[in-house]
């Protein structure tokens, strides 16, 4: 079987000789036979895309024989070695079967990394088969917050949104602490809609990975703008405070769907943690949503003081600017 590996992961595994601007804490592998069966409008792998098939988001994923990848994973050691393996499974039954089989071979060879599998599942049995094959965490992406955007950008089938959310919550009850989902900010939702969707997932025990919409050439959304950083920072803060159990949607004040105040105290350190990449442990996805040199939407490592100050200003929330000067708590 041939697999695609994100270029940063390939470099971290010694498969690709490129300069890495950030540590890669998770090795990302795309797996599946042929094309994806679905047509997510933002995705280069979708059936509605004419983009290059070596892309996922803006990242290039070169192809390697399975044996070469397994050898590299086996040989990876030291501080720069990935601490997790994430399988991004192309939609369709063939993809799920490929992932299950690859997992089995990886474990049979003594592979010990924790493995996340992000796949389009439609039934609990498929999830159980992946857990039985050796995955540690399952990701079932919602991607779009409100149902209307889910229908427009992911699956326009009656009951698809409710069905996916129900399966996500069922799996979270069956496998506490081992289920993740993704939400993409910037597909047309309001901050309020995203806060509600993220909170519902968190309240069900699902880990939330927040992504920023990234326009990719060849996809139907190539001309759709990425989210503004200010709104994205507010969503990151909201996700973080809610994931810590320190806020619920009622603690946020909205005007026109935009967060205008936060009724929970937060500190510089809180924001420094909030603007880091969210998702499974050690998932840091460097440059997944922006080019090297651009201000990261998700920081793949702890941000410096300058970055924290910039993020505080970007929040445009009452009291946030007070934190720029030093370590004082502020009521939003
Ligand atoms: S949160 Fe990260 S590691 Fe987890 S499934 Fe998503 S991309 Fe993979």
């Amino acid at each position: 079987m041939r697999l695609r590996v994100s270029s940063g992961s390939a470099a971290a595994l010694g498969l690709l000789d490129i300069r890495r601007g950030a540590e890669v804490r998770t090795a990302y592998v795309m797996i599946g036979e042929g094309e994806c069966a679905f047509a997510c409008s933002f995705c280069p792998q979708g059936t509605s895309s004419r983009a290059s098939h070596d892309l996922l988001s803006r990242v290039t994923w070169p192809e390697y024989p399975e044996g070469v990848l397994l050898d590299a994973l086996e040989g990876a050691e030291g501080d720069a070695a990935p601490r997790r393996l994430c399988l991004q499974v192309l939609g369709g039954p063939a993809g799920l079967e490929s992932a299950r089989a690859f997992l089995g071979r990886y474990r049979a060879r003594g592979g010990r990394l924790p493995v996340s599998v992000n796949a389009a599942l439609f039934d609990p049995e498929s999830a159980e088969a992946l857990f039985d094959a050796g995955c540690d965490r399952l990701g079932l992406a919602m991607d779009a917050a409100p149902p209307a955007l889910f229908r427009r950008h992911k699956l326009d089938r009656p009951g698809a949104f409710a069905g996916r959310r129900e399966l996500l919550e069922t799996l979270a009850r069956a496998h506490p602490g081992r289920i993740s989902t993704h939400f993409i900010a910037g597909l047309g939702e309001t901050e309020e809609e995203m806060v509600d969707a993220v909170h519902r997932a968190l309240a069900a025990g699902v880990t939330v990975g927040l992504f920023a919409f990234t326009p990719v050439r060849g996809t139907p959304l190539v001309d759709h703008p990425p989210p503004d950083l200010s709104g994205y920072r507010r969503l990151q803060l909201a996700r973080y405070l809610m994931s810590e159990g320190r806020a619920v949607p009622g603690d946020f004040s909205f005007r026109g769907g935009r967060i205008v105040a936060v009724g929970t105290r937060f500190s510089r350190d809180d924001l420094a943690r909030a603007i880091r990449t969210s998702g499974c442990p050690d998932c840091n996805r460097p440059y997944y949503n922006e080019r090297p040199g651009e201000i990261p939407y998700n920081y793949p490592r702890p941000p410096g003081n300058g970055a924290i100050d910039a993020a505080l200003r970007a929040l445009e929330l009452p009291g946030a600017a007070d934190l720029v000067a030093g370590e004082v708590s502020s009521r939003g």
Side-chain angles (χ1 to χ4, degrees):
M1 178 160 55
R2 295 183 67 79
L3 304 150
R4 291 186 178 281
V5 182
S6 77
S7 45
S9 307
L13 292 170
L15 296 172
L16 192 63
D17 183 16
I18 56 168
R19 200 177 69 76
R20 277 184 290 137
E23 179 195 18
V24 174
R25 298 170 65 87
T26 291
Y28 302 94
V29 173
M30 198 194 312
I31 191 164
E33 295 299 333
E35 298 191 346
C36 181
F38 304 111
C40 302
S41 56
F42 48 83
C43 181
Q45 296 294 324
T47 54
S48 54
S49 163
R50 290 176 287 101
S52 166
H53 275 171
D54 66 357
L55 288 175
L56 193 60
S57 187
R58 57 169 299 283
V59 175
T60 303
W61 300 59
E63 213 176 33
Y64 298 92
E66 178 181 314
V68 169
L69 173 62
L70 289 172
D71 290 346
L73 286 166
E74 214 166 279
E77 55 190 12
D79 290 349
R83 295 164 180 79
R84 171 173 294 278
L85 177 59
C86 174
L87 304 183
Q88 296 283 330
V89 183
L90 292 180
L96 284 177
E97 182 44 32
S98 303
R100 194 196 60 71
F102 172 80
L103 256 177
R105 290 190 287 271
Y106 174 67
R107 292 296 187 215
R109 279 181 57 149
R112 288 192 305 276
L113 284 178
V115 178
S116 297
V117 176
N118 185 53
L121 305 174
F122 294 90
D123 56 73
E125 293 73 30
S126 303
E128 297 313 322
L130 290 166
F131 278 119
D132 293 345
C135 92
D136 299 85
R137 298 181 62 91
L138 261 181
L140 180 56
M142 295 300 298
D143 288 331
L149 291 180
F150 185 93
R151 280 195 299 276
R152 190 184 311 157
H153 294 301
K154 281 194 71 71
L155 278 174
D156 190 8
R157 291 184 201 158
F161 175 86
R164 176 156 299 189
R165 192 170 59 183
E166 196 184 316
L167 178 58
L168 185 65
E169 295 172 0
T170 301
L171 291 174
R173 284 191 297 274
H175 300 279
R178 301 176 69 187
I179 305 297
S180 304
T181 193
H182 299 166
F183 282 106
I184 301 174
L187 290 175
E189 75 293 332
T190 66
E191 292 170 28
E192 186 168 9
E193 287 169 331
M194 185 61 83
V195 166
D196 287 341
V198 166
H199 179 256
R200 174 160 177 158
L202 292 169
V206 176
T207 302
V208 170
L210 198 58
F211 292 67
F213 165 72
T214 307
V216 178
R217 194 178 303 142
T219 67
L221 289 187
V222 60
D223 297 322
H224 187 88
D228 75 275
L229 208 52
S230 179
Y232 194 75
R233 294 288 182 243
R234 289 189 292 273
L235 289 175
Q236 287 177 307
L237 179 62
R239 184 211 65 82
Y240 172 75
L241 292 173
M242 293 192 295
S243 70
E244 294 285 304
R246 291 164 52 194
V248 292
D251 293 311
F252 301 92
S253 306
F254 300 96
R255 195 177 305 128
R258 179 199 181 283
I259 300 171
V260 291
V262 180
T264 297
R265 301 174 77 86
F266 63 92
S267 68
R268 281 178 70 80
D269 288 349
D270 285 327
L271 190 66
R273 286 189 285 271
I275 62 178
R276 301 240 357 229
T277 305
S278 54
C280 301
D282 291 312
C283 176
N284 69 334
R285 305 190 295 270
Y287 312 123
Y288 202 73
N289 294 141
E290 67 284 312
R291 288 194 187 84
E294 291 180 347
I295 298 174
Y297 282 100
N298 299 312
Y299 280 83
R301 57 179 165 243
N305 276 327
I308 300 168
D309 286 344
L312 283 163
R313 292 191 188 94
L315 284 175
E316 296 176 359
L317 289 174
D322 302 343
L323 297 173
V324 168
E327 293 281 333
V328 290
S329 302
S330 154
R331 170 169 291 287

